[in-house]
Amino acid sequence: MVTSKVEGNAVTLLRKGQSTTTYKRQQKILGVLFSLPALALMFTFLVLPVILAFIYSLMNYNMLNPDAKTFIGLDNYIRLFQDPIFFTALKNTLYFTALVVPLQCAVALVLAILVNKKVKVASLGRVFFFSPVVTSMVVVAILWTFLYNVNNGLINSALNIFGIPNQPFLLSPDQAMNSIIFMSVWQAAGFQMMIFLAGLKDVPDTLYEAADIDGANAWQKFRNVTLPSIQHVTGFVLIITTIQAFRLFIQPYVMTNGGPSDSTKTLVFMLYENGFQFRDVGYSSAIAVVFFLVVIITSLILKKALKQ
């Protein structure tokens, strides 16, 4: 009798185990099925373009004569690394990224701290600082082109009040990129500000209360409480800002057309110029592949540095 009960319990447990295994398998299948639309979109718009760009970069492919494309191997890459304009564009891109990322993140953090204060005008400040982000970059670029105007721009008019002569800004190879950097920091800092603000909201008030008891001043609380508490948010902001900086295109396209003297020509601008103006798909694809590798390598280095 006891043996029969034991055997019955064993069969029941075995059936339950089989049922659990079947249920888990069904859940996995459902998970894969629900993921298929997202995976299809990711493959279509992310993976496939990278594959096609690499394939086209090995061809002599003109957009006006697509049937005459021929395989030329690494000739486009050899041509690219012998092109002085490529190194100028790479230098401009790295220069823009090296300056705009720390400046933009620093401004965004300061703004986030200001609007995080528990005062009535804080919500108004968030709207004020975030409004340039939701404005079209083309509109912002046109607006700042007028502000930078040599003869009757508002900025030069303000400088004249202090006895400073008119500055060429966008017409000067030495000032054009710095002018774009200043405008870019003003336009996009509000986006990083909102991310920093979300991080600041998660910092416990008890940490600041303990710092007050220990007699810490504002700088000590910022250095020893605020920064360590938002280090993961800071890392995220630095990475996404770096990637966005590498994609610089609209500002030089609208404001300077890559000039003067190629001082604002970037890798993305060079890619667009060869692909859509000169119709050289093979060469522009080689630029795209190199640009992709530069962004990936930079992001990995930055991520490793932040992790350490």
Side-chain angles (χ1 to χ4, degrees):
M1 192 72 177
V2 176
T3 306
S4 300
K5 289 183 178 180
V6 172
E7 290 177 352
N9 292 334
V11 172
T12 303
L13 291 173
L14 181 60
R15 288 176 178 174
K16 287 183 178 180
Q18 290 175 344
S19 177
T20 303
T21 303
T22 304
Y23 175 76
K24 289 182 178 180
R25 187 183 300 115
Q26 291 175 347
Q27 291 298 104
K28 289 181 180 179
I29 294 173
L30 284 174
V32 172
L33 291 176
F34 280 118
S35 302
L36 282 178
L39 293 174
L41 289 173
M42 185 176 70
F43 178 80
T44 303
F45 294 104
L46 292 178
V47 179
L48 186 59
V50 174
I51 296 174
L52 291 177
F54 178 72
I55 294 173
Y56 291 150
S57 69
L58 303 176
M59 296 181 177
N60 181 14
Y61 181 11
N62 191 286
M63 191 182 295
L64 298 179
N65 193 11
D67 296 330
K69 55 179 177 288
T70 56
F71 180 80
I72 58 174
L74 299 177
D75 287 358
N76 282 321
Y77 292 97
I78 296 172
R79 172 188 167 191
L80 179 63
F81 287 105
Q82 292 177 347
D83 189 350
I85 298 179
F86 165 72
F87 291 101
T88 299
L90 178 62
K91 182 192 70 174
N92 293 336
T93 303
L94 294 176
Y95 177 79
F96 177 85
T97 303
L99 286 185
V100 82
V101 170
L103 287 174
Q104 195 165 296
C105 292
V107 171
L109 181 56
V110 171
L111 294 179
I113 293 173
L114 291 176
V115 300
N116 192 41
K117 302 291 184 182
K118 296 179 181 179
V119 293
K120 294 182 179 180
V121 295
S123 57
L124 182 63
R126 296 171 197 168
V127 175
F128 178 77
F129 294 131
F130 189 73
S131 57
V133 179
V134 297
T135 307
S136 170
M137 178 58 79
V138 175
V139 175
V140 173
I142 294 173
L143 172 65
W144 277 83
T145 302
F146 286 111
L147 293 176
Y148 281 136
N149 187 276
V150 177
N151 298 317
N152 50 14
L154 183 62
I155 296 178
N156 272 320
S157 299
L159 293 177
N160 293 157
I161 297 175
F162 299 97
I164 301 174
N166 288 352
Q167 300 298 310
F169 292 124
L170 300 176
L171 301 180
S172 168
D174 297 327
Q175 295 184 10
M177 182 58 79
N178 293 328
S179 301
I180 290 177
I181 289 172
F182 184 84
M183 184 272 286
S184 299
V185 171
W186 173 87
Q187 188 273 337
F191 175 73
Q192 284 81 7
M193 176 198 73
M194 298 303 292
I195 301 176
F196 276 126
L197 184 61
L200 291 174
K201 293 294 184 181
D202 290 335
V203 180
D205 292 335
T206 53
L207 295 179
Y208 293 107
E209 293 172 359
D212 288 331
I213 294 174
D214 292 338
N217 55 34
W219 169 249
Q220 290 172 333
K221 286 189 287 186
F222 172 75
R223 186 183 62 183
N224 299 315
V225 177
T226 304
L227 283 182
S229 300
I230 61 170
Q231 59 180 344
H232 297 297
V233 176
T234 304
F236 173 74
V237 170
L238 285 173
I239 291 175
I240 64 169
T241 307
T242 301
I243 295 174
Q244 290 175 345
F246 271 107
R247 294 163 49 195
L248 176 67
F249 170 70
I250 297 178
Q251 298 94 309
Y253 179 75
V254 174
M255 302 174 73
T256 62
N257 196 30
S261 302
D262 294 331
S263 61
T264 59
K265 183 171 290 187
T266 62
L267 288 177
V268 178
F269 189 97
M270 186 180 178
L271 189 157
Y272 165 82
E273 187 178 49
N274 284 276
F276 292 95
Q277 292 185 358
F278 304 149
R279 309 293 195 272
D280 193 344
V281 178
Y283 190 55
S284 63
S285 297
I287 299 172
V289 171
V290 173
F291 172 72
F292 174 76
L293 293 175
V294 169
V295 173
I296 291 296
I297 292 171
T298 305
S299 299
L300 291 175
I301 293 173
L302 182 59
K303 183 177 179 181
K304 185 175 181 180
L306 291 172
K307 187 176 181 180
Q308 291 177 350

